[in-house]
């Protein structure tokens, strides 16, 4: 009665014997009763689609198909053993690979196999008669021997019946064997086929001879699946490259000859693949994701590089999940006795993909590290600086245009500028210009003393894109940022890149998200060591590392943003790279702020109370053009070297380190540029006077 409303009432008849009646009124809001056949269908559907049912059906199908697959494998092996099919396959493989010498050799081996098989078959034609003769002779000799043995027994026992005793014993033994066979034959007939089926099933199970859908979940998903030649070849065959698929299909060994031995390399394996004719290496490189998925790996777990051998790609395939595990602390943290040697040593930076230590030589190499924001750029750059300052001869000048990450270098660096404001960009620019002045001074010193040795001086600008993008101009109208010849920061970096290395003045820069605007081409190509963390596009990778490294397989744009923090691709001759490769992928050690402070304290103890400048004093009253005019005086023309000498005498602090380059920089664009007269470079008094007059008139007009 569910779903209905029941009303009880009595008839209006006054008879006390009146009967109470029931009225059933259907409830329109109640759901109608589902038919039996619908409920049965739903139950059947639920039972069939249940995961337990699927697992059971998959298990039954899998083991049944193991039996069929095992029979197929055993049949193929038997056919290969009785025929020359294997030699035919090897010959076709060699032909497909273009190795015709090997093809001829396999053809010759196949011919020898056929000849030997023919001789065996001819021998079988004569063997029955020879076997019958041999059996008759053997039987006669055996019976004769038994009779002689019986005669000897009869003579010894003087009983003539002993003559047949050995013969009867043999007959009884034969009868016993027949009886045993009769008893065992019945069960053997029953069990034998079962054992044969079990053997076929075992072969199929060992080879996983079943469709992918019928295999266990861990096998279907490839979890923990080891990399074998067949898996690599199948992954290459299914890349969707028609020429590659056709060549593998035509190879009798199914493409195994393409592969070098698979060797363990750190937390993965490495294998070289020689591609068949008609398939280029960049076609395989362009399908990295599909290749990784065919190998049951994520894209970041497969690296494709190009070795020196022609038509060859080198695959490094990580163990599943291995790259997500940390690599451990830096030796700078774990060993407090570690010291540095700028010239001969190498900075411990991390580990390569093979698990080997990756160390970088900093000697006379400009450095550029780039990557997207929050990928570990500052930590990677700072780790190198922390090692470098453990050599007490190394001087560092640092401009941190973000602020806060380099504070532990206070008392170590001679200059430490921190902050992203325009004022800090101006200070950073003047810091780099100070490097140029020191570089020029060292170059002048070496001209008079070729054997002079200079201590290393490293200028570090972190978040250098802030400097390149700065729109502020100085009092002469020259911008601090930008990528033109008028940019003070750009030109200072270029000068250090051009000449600083030979006198141990180096430039290190870290920058985000490289573009032509925030990392000009001339600057990035001036770095000897170029490293990139995760980047957004291939074009950015080419900006960061150069075309050669990217064409050789370097792919920082394929690193996972956020997940591959601290993993960078390095192109440098200062780090050991595999033979034939132009770059290497390094997983850097992470040094936290507290650990960096401890390392910095050790470096500070090696020095004698360095006072760190947090701002660079600027002589606001200095007017170089006016000073030059003053030292020229009333002379009509003065040699440039004489002008520099006079300037140094007037103001040694401002002009003591000046060279011809600095003098030319001030006079360029004024109309008073140095010119050659009688074979020497001179400066004209009249030109200087006109330049000062024009500048003053221009300034007055601007003010009005």
């Amino acid at each position: 009665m569910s779903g209905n409303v029941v009303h009880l009432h009595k008839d209006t008849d006054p008879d006390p014997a009146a009967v109470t009646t029931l009225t059933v009124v259907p409830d329109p809001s109640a759901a109608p009763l589902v038919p039996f056949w619908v409920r049965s269908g739903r139950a059947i559907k639920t039972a069939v689609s249940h995961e337990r049912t699927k697992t059971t059906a998959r298990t039954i199908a899998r083991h049944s198909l193991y039996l069929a697959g095992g029979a197929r494998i055993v049949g193929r092996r038997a056919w290969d053993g009785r025929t020359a099919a294997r030699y035919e396959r090897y010959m076709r493989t060699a032909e497909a690979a273009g190795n015709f010498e090997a093809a001829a050799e396999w053809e010759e081996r196949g011919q020898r196999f056929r000849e030997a098989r023919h001789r065996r078959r001819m021998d079988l034609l004569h063997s029955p008669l020879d076997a019958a003769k041999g059996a008759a002779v053997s039987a006669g000799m055996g019976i004769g021997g038994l009779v002689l043995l019986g005669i000897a027994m009869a003579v010894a026992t003087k009983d003539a019946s002993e003559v047949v005793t050995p013969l009867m014993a043999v007959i009884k033994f034969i009868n016993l064997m027949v009886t045993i066979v009769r008893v065992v034959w019945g069960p053997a007939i029953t069990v034998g086929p079962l054992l044969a089926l079990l053997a076929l099933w075992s072969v199929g199970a060992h080879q996983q001879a079943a469709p992918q859908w019928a295999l266990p979940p861990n096998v279907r998903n490839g979890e923990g699946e080891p990399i074998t030649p067949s898996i690599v070849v199948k992954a290459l065959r299914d890349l969707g490259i028609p020429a590659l698929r056709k060549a593998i299909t035509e190879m009798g060994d199914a493409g195994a000859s393409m592969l070098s031995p698979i060797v363990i390399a750190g937390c993965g394996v490495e294998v070289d693949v020689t591609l068949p004719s008609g398939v280029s290496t960049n076609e395989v490189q362009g399908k990295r994701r599909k290749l990784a998925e065919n190998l049951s790996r994520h894209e970041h777990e497969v690296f494709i590089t190009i070795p020196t051998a022609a038509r060859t790609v080198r695959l490094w395939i990580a163990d599943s999940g291995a790259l997500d595990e940390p690599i451990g602390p830096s030796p700078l943290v774990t060993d407090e006795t570690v010291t540095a040697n700028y010239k001969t040593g190498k900075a411990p930076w991390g580990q390569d993909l093979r698990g080997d230590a990756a160390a970088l030589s900093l000697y006379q190499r400009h450095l550029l590290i780039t990557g997207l924001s929050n990928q570990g750029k500052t930590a990677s750059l700072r780790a190198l600086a922390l090692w470098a300052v453990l050599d007490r001869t190394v001087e560092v000048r640092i401009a941190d245009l973000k602020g806060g990450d380099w504070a532990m270098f206070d008392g170590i660096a001679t200059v430490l500028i921190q902050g992203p404001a325009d004022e800090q960009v101006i200070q950073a620019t003047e810091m780099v210009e100070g490097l140029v002045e020191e570089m020029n001074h060292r170059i002048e010193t070496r001209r008079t003393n070729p054997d002079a040795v200079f201590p290393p001086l490293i200028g570090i600008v972190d978040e250098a894109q802030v400097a390149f993008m700065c729109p502020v101009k100085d009092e002469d109208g020259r911008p601090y940022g930008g990528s033109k010849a008028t940019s003070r920061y750009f030109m200072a970096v270029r000068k250090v890149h051009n000449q600083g290395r030979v006198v141990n003045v180096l430039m290190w820069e870290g920058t985000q998200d490289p573009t032509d605007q925030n990392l000009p081409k001339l600057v990035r190509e001036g770095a000897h060591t170029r490293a990139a963390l995760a980047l957004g596009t291939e074009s950015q990778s080419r900006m960061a590392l150069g075309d050669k490294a990217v064409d050789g397989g370097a792919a920082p744009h394929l690193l996972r943003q956020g997940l591959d923090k601290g993993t960078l691709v390095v192109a440098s001759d200062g780090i050991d790279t595999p033979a034939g490769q132009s770059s290497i992928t390094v997983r850097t050690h992470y040094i936290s702020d507290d650990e960096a402070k401890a390392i910095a304290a050790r470096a500070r103890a090696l020095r004698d109370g360095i006072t760190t400048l947090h701002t660079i004093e600027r002589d606001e009253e200095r007017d170089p053009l006016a000073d030059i005019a003053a030292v020229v005086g009333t002379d009509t023309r003065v040699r440039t070297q004489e002008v520099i000498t006079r300037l140094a005498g007037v103001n040694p602090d401002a002009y003591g380190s000046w060279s011809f380059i600095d003098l030319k920089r001030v006079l360029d664009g004024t109309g008073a540029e140095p010119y050659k007269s009688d074979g020497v470079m001179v400066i004209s008094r009249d030109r200087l006077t006109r330049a000062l007059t024009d500048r003053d008139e221009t300034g007055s007009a601007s003010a009005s």
Side-chain angles (χ1 to χ4, degrees):
M1 304 295 291
S2 176
N4 298 323
V5 179
V6 179
H7 298 277
L8 296 176
H9 60 88
K10 291 185 178 181
D11 295 335
T12 55
D13 192 341
D15 185 359
V19 179
T20 302
T21 61
L22 287 173
T23 303
V24 179
V25 180
D27 184 0
S29 64
L33 183 64
V34 179
F36 175 75
W37 64 272
V38 175
R39 284 179 288 149
S40 301
R42 291 176 180 175
I44 294 172
K45 180 180 178 182
T46 301
V48 171
S49 60
H50 195 276
E51 188 61 32
R52 193 172 298 173
T53 305
K54 292 181 180 179
T55 302
T56 303
R58 190 179 289 118
T59 301
I60 295 172
R62 177 169 67 250
H63 291 287
S64 301
L65 293 168
Y66 280 165
L67 183 61
R72 184 179 65 256
I73 293 171
V74 171
R76 187 189 307 124
R77 291 175 181 174
W79 177 258
D80 288 344
R82 301 296 298 173
T83 67
R86 69 176 68 183
Y87 300 101
E88 295 287 345
R89 285 203 307 271
Y90 296 155
M91 184 176 65
R92 289 196 301 271
T93 298
E95 288 177 347
N99 191 347
F100 297 105
E101 293 182 2
E105 182 180 352
W106 283 116
E107 185 178 16
E108 183 181 353
R109 290 187 181 184
Q111 187 61 32
R112 289 201 299 267
F113 172 82
R114 294 186 184 93
E115 292 175 357
R117 183 180 60 186
H118 178 70
R119 287 195 300 270
R120 290 194 301 269
R121 289 176 176 175
M122 294 303 294
D123 291 341
L124 287 176
L125 296 177
H126 304 286
S127 59
L129 182 59
D130 295 338
K133 291 179 180 178
V137 172
S138 298
M141 292 179 64
I143 293 172
L146 293 173
V147 171
L148 290 175
L149 179 60
I151 292 173
M153 293 174 62
V155 172
T157 58
K158 298 180 181 180
D159 184 0
S161 61
E162 293 292 337
V163 174
V164 297
T165 298
L167 188 59
M168 294 303 297
V170 172
I171 293 173
K172 290 180 179 180
F173 177 75
I174 293 173
N175 184 58
L176 177 61
M177 291 298 100
V178 172
T179 302
I180 293 174
V181 169
R182 285 177 177 173
V183 173
V184 174
W185 183 253
I189 291 296
T190 303
V191 177
L194 296 179
L195 295 176
L197 293 175
L198 181 61
L200 295 177
W201 175 89
S202 178
V203 172
H206 180 72
Q207 298 291 333
Q208 298 287 345
Q212 189 73 13
W213 60 266
L215 296 176
N218 63 321
V219 178
R220 291 199 308 273
N221 299 334
E223 297 177 0
E225 185 177 20
I227 299 299
T228 62
S230 61
I231 290 176
V232 175
V233 172
K234 185 176 182 297
L236 292 168
R237 185 195 67 194
D238 296 339
L239 275 183
I241 303 175
L244 181 59
R245 183 180 185 88
K246 180 180 179 182
I248 292 175
T249 303
E250 291 177 351
M251 293 180 182
D253 62 350
S257 60
M258 296 166 46
L259 309 183
S260 70
I262 298 177
V263 297
I264 296 176
C267 57
V269 296
E270 189 175 76
V271 59
D272 284 357
V273 181
T274 303
L275 300 175
S277 178
V279 182
S280 62
T281 55
N282 61 353
E283 288 183 279
V284 178
Q285 278 186 302
K287 293 182 176 290
R288 177 185 175 192
R289 172 175 293 183
K290 191 169 186 178
L291 177 61
E293 292 173 350
N294 289 348
L295 292 167
S296 300
R297 295 294 189 273
H298 296 291
E299 183 179 12
H300 71 278
E301 294 176 328
V302 175
F303 287 80
I304 306 174
T305 53
I306 310 299
T308 53
R311 278 200 351 256
T312 302
V313 293
R314 178 168 295 160
L315 306 180
W316 184 84
I317 307 162
D319 299 334
S320 294
L323 294 183
D324 296 327
E325 298 294 329
I327 64 171
S330 168
L332 298 179
V333 175
T334 58
D335 187 358
E336 296 184 359
T337 64
V338 170
T339 57
N341 188 311
Y342 161 78
K343 185 174 182 179
T344 61
K346 290 188 175 183
W349 211 7
Q351 293 180 0
D352 62 16
L353 296 177
R354 293 159 183 79
D356 300 328
L360 180 68
S361 172
L362 306 177
Y363 180 63
Q364 293 187 347
R365 290 179 176 88
H366 302 302
L367 176 68
L368 171 66
I369 297 181
T370 185
L372 298 177
S373 177
N374 196 32
Q375 296 303 302
K377 170 179 46 49
T378 297
S380 301
L381 184 61
R382 191 176 67 182
L384 297 177
L386 287 170
W387 179 84
V389 296
L390 290 176
D391 182 343
R392 61 178 300 170
T393 66
V394 174
E395 178 188 352
V396 293
R397 302 178 186 179
I398 301 172
D400 176 13
L401 298 182
K402 180 171 63 176
D405 292 327
W406 297 80
M408 67 286 301
F409 283 84
D410 194 359
I412 301 174
T414 53
V415 176
L416 179 58
I417 299 164
Q418 301 181 85
D422 291 341
E423 177 63 24
Q424 280 77 44
V425 173
I426 295 172
Q427 294 283 332
T429 302
E430 294 177 346
M431 181 194 81
V432 180
E433 290 175 339
L435 296 177
V436 176
E437 293 177 3
E438 176 63 23
M439 175 189 73
N440 292 333
H441 174 70
R442 293 182 178 188
I443 292 173
E444 291 294 333
T445 302
R446 178 162 286 182
R447 287 176 182 173
T448 58
N449 182 11
D451 297 328
V453 178
F454 306 103
L457 170 60
I458 302 174
I460 302 173
V461 179
D462 193 14
E463 306 295 344
Q465 77 278 355
V466 178
F468 283 113
M469 300 297 288
C470 179
V472 177
K473 296 182 179 180
D474 63 11
E475 61 275 5
D476 295 328
R478 293 184 62 194
Y480 287 95
S483 58
K484 296 182 179 180
T486 55
S487 168
R488 291 180 58 177
Y489 179 81
F490 170 72
M491 291 306 297
V493 172
R494 285 293 299 141
K495 290 175 182 178
V496 175
H497 279 178
N498 288 339
Q499 295 178 294
R501 185 179 64 87
V502 294
V503 289
N504 270 342
V505 178
L506 302 178
M507 190 72 206
W508 293 3
E509 290 182 287
T511 182
Q512 289 183 15
D513 198 13
T515 64
D516 285 327
Q517 288 71 39
N518 62 26
L519 187 60
K521 180 179 180 180
L522 293 177
V523 170
R524 60 182 185 250
E525 291 186 350
H528 304 99
T529 295
R530 300 166 71 174
L533 294 108
L535 291 171
T537 63
E538 181 179 334
S539 63
Q540 289 182 331
S541 296
R542 293 185 181 275
M543 290 181 186
L545 300 179
D547 292 337
K548 180 180 178 182
V550 175
D551 291 338
H557 55 284
L558 296 180
L559 295 173
R560 300 170 297 168
Q561 184 176 357
L563 298 177
D564 287 325
K565 263 188 179 181
T567 299
L568 45 76
V569 184
V570 186
S572 172
D573 60 351
I575 192 170
D576 294 333
T577 57
Q581 295 180 204
S582 56
S583 66
I584 185 172
T585 301
V586 176
R587 304 173 66 199
T588 58
H589 298 294
Y590 175 69
I591 301 177
S592 67
D593 289 347
D594 292 338
E595 293 168 342
K597 291 176 183 177
I599 299 170
R602 303 206 307 264
R604 197 175 296 110
L606 298 174
R607 287 162 166 74
D608 298 326
I610 290 179
T611 300
T612 299
L613 299 178
H614 295 278
T615 59
I616 296 178
E617 296 295 333
R618 300 193 298 273
D619 186 1
E620 300 294 345
E621 302 301 325
R622 192 180 72 196
D623 185 347
L625 185 60
D627 289 345
I628 293 171
V631 298
V632 170
T634 59
D635 296 334
T636 304
R637 290 187 300 272
V638 180
R639 296 175 61 179
T640 54
Q641 190 58 47
E642 177 64 22
V643 171
I644 294 172
T645 302
R646 292 179 184 182
L647 286 171
V650 172
N651 192 336
D653 293 335
Y655 304 113
S657 61
W658 263 37
S659 65
F660 174 76
I661 297 174
D662 299 292
L663 183 64
K664 184 176 183 297
R665 175 176 60 82
V666 172
L667 297 177
D668 279 348
T670 64
E673 294 87 349
Y675 64 95
K676 186 171 289 189
S677 176
D678 296 331
V680 296
M681 298 299 293
V682 298
I683 295 176
S684 169
R685 179 196 62 191
D686 294 338
R687 293 185 181 184
L688 280 172
T689 303
R690 284 197 301 269
L692 286 170
T693 302
D694 292 343
R695 189 185 69 174
D696 293 340
E697 291 177 354
T698 302
S700 299
S702 299
S704 61

